[in-house]
Structures are given as C-alpha cells and as structure tokens.
Amino acid sequence: GQQVQQSPASLVLQEGENAELQCNFSSTATRLQWFYQRPGGSLVSLLSNPSGTKHTGRLTSTTVTKERRGSLHISSSQITDSGTYLCAMGYNQGKLIFGQGTKLSIKP
Amino acid sequence: EAAVTQSPRNKVTVTGGNVTLSCRQTNSHNYMYWYRQDTGHGLRLIHYSYGAGNLQIGDVPDGYKATRTTQEDFFLLLELASPSQTSLYFCASSGGTGGDYEQYFGPGTRLTVL
C-alpha cells in the first residue's frame, strides 16, 4: 500500500542552526502537507504544496512529485521549534497518508 | 484560518460502551475526515465525507460508523467500544470540489476505553 517515510526519526540541533526534514512517498501524490504537532497533541498545518517550493516565515517546503520526495527546511532554528513534524501525502479525494514524524529538539 | 472544533476533548468509557465523537467546521468546506493517531502507526484515516448525507470508507473503518448530518457536522460513532479503540482522534476539513486542498485539523479527542 501507499507509504510515507520520514527521516531522520529524530534530530538534535543547536539554536540558530538550520534543520532539514525529509519525506519520501511510495506512489504518486497530488500534494504534500507538513504539520507541526504540539506536545499536547494538536496539529498545526505549516505548508501545503503540490509541487515546487513554498515559503512561510522561516519555513520552506520543497516537493518533487515525480521523484516522490519532499523536504521541509527550517532556517535559524529556535527553541520553540522543538516538537514533532509530520509529513502527509495527498491522494484521491484529498485523503492523506501520514509519515511517522521527525522529532526535533533545539538546544540553547 | 479554518475553524474545526471537536467535542468532547477527553472521554473515558468502558468496553462495550457507546461513544459519539462530534466535529464541527464553520468554513463551508465540502470534505470532512476522521483520523486516529496511535504510537507506531501515525495518523490513519477512518471515514470521510464530501457532503451532507455522504459517507466514504477510509483505511481503518472496522468498528466505526460515521454520519454527516449537515455540511458543518460530522460524527464518529463507536457502538461497542473496545480497548483497541483507545486513541487520539482528529477531525479535519478541506475545501474545493475534489477535496484536494489543504486540510485543517481540530484539536483532537483523547478516548480511553477501559
């Protein structure tokens, strides 16, 4: 079946460093959507794009649909960026398949 | 930003009990979805709907019913709850006619089945 693989599973950085999160998917996706999951569990949608590059603030999402991969770049990381980042691929009727997540820890 | 609310936020029930989880979105979105999130499995789609009265089966539908009463309201029903249904449940909505637009998620409901 369709799968989404995220890497790395966990990432520890110093404050101010850049973070690069990867997402690979097993079949053709209509788009990729990135989420941040707060420690309490709630999900925040960060970026959603079918292909190409999209920016918001310090976040950049790049999706290469034909190569079945995407990435989320966080520049100048801050302690408050710590948490779990989820990648999800969209397919038929907008359904999402989620990856297992990358746990990001930013140290002072 | 799209507004999706869920109730209750926390629920504890016993094996065999009936549970209804509610979801409301106020952005006139056509599509609504129910997911569950479990350690080791990530989020998985249970049911979804593209309008009032419509229901589509997701990837893990066993043990769940759902009903979309209006464009705003989508309910998930567990008629004979089992411990395996202990999970964090999310509702989401998206716009457009094909559903393939950004999904907005509710805050989640933590369900514990004893």
Side-chain angles (χ1 to χ4, degrees):
Chain A
Q2 291 146 324
Q3 292 185 344
V4 175
Q5 298 288 340
Q6 288 188 247
S7 61
S10 62
L11 182 62
V12 180
L13 297 172
Q14 292 295 124
E15 190 174 16
E17 292 183 318
N18 298 330
E20 189 83 14
L21 284 57
Q22 304 293 334
C23 183
N24 291 278
F25 37 97
S26 60
S27 61
T28 302
T30 55
R31 64 187 171 85
L32 218 58
Q33 188 167 353
W34 288 92
F35 295 86
Y36 170 71
Q37 186 160 32
R38 296 189 175 109
S42 62
L43 292 170
V44 178
S45 179
L46 299 174
L47 286 161
S48 176
N49 60 319
S51 63
T53 300
K54 198 170 181 180
H55 305 274
T56 183
R58 295 182 292 107
L59 305 177
T60 301
S61 167
T62 300
T63 302
V64 186
T65 309
K66 63 180 181 180
E67 295 182 12
R68 300 179 181 178
R69 62 178 176 85
S71 64
L72 180 69
H73 181 88
I74 305 172
S75 62
S76 303
S77 61
Q78 301 173 1
I79 293 173
T80 52
D81 293 333
S82 297
T84 299
Y85 290 80
L86 300 174
C87 163
M89 62 166 273
Y91 67 112
N92 184 29
Q93 291 188 308
K95 292 179 284 187
L96 292 177
I97 299 283
F98 282 81
Q100 296 284 332
T102 292
K103 188 172 183 179
L104 178 64
S105 299
I106 307 297
K107 304 297 185 186
Chain B
E1 178 157 325
V4 182
T5 57
Q6 293 182 234
S7 63
R9 296 294 309 278
N10 292 281
K11 175 74 177 179
V12 180
T13 190
V14 296
T15 300
N18 289 342
V19 177
T20 298
L21 306 185
S22 303
C23 177
R24 167 165 283 199
Q25 55 95 5
T26 57
N27 295 282
S28 302
H29 284 169
N30 292 321
Y31 280 78
M32 295 185 74
Y33 309 82
W34 277 108
Y35 296 87
R36 60 177 290 175
Q37 184 178 28
D38 307 287
T39 303
H41 289 282
L43 278 94
R44 293 176 291 173
L45 180 65
I46 304 170
H47 290 300
Y48 66 104
S49 165
Y50 55 73
N54 175 264
L55 181 64
Q56 303 292 316
I57 295 172
D59 300 321
V60 289
D62 292 347
Y64 301 95
K65 293 183 179 179
T67 180
R68 179 92 176 267
T69 55
T70 65
Q71 186 176 35
E72 293 79 19
D73 298 302
F74 194 29
F75 300 93
L76 186 67
L77 296 81
L78 293 72
E79 293 185 333
L80 288 171
S82 73
S84 64
Q85 294 176 307
T86 293
S87 187
L88 179 57
Y89 290 87
F90 288 102
C91 174
S93 73
S94 68
T97 54
D100 195 26
Y101 285 69
E102 183 174 358
Q103 285 190 25
Y104 296 91
F105 279 70
T109 294
R110 287 195 183 275
L111 174 66
T112 302
V113 183
L114 302 174

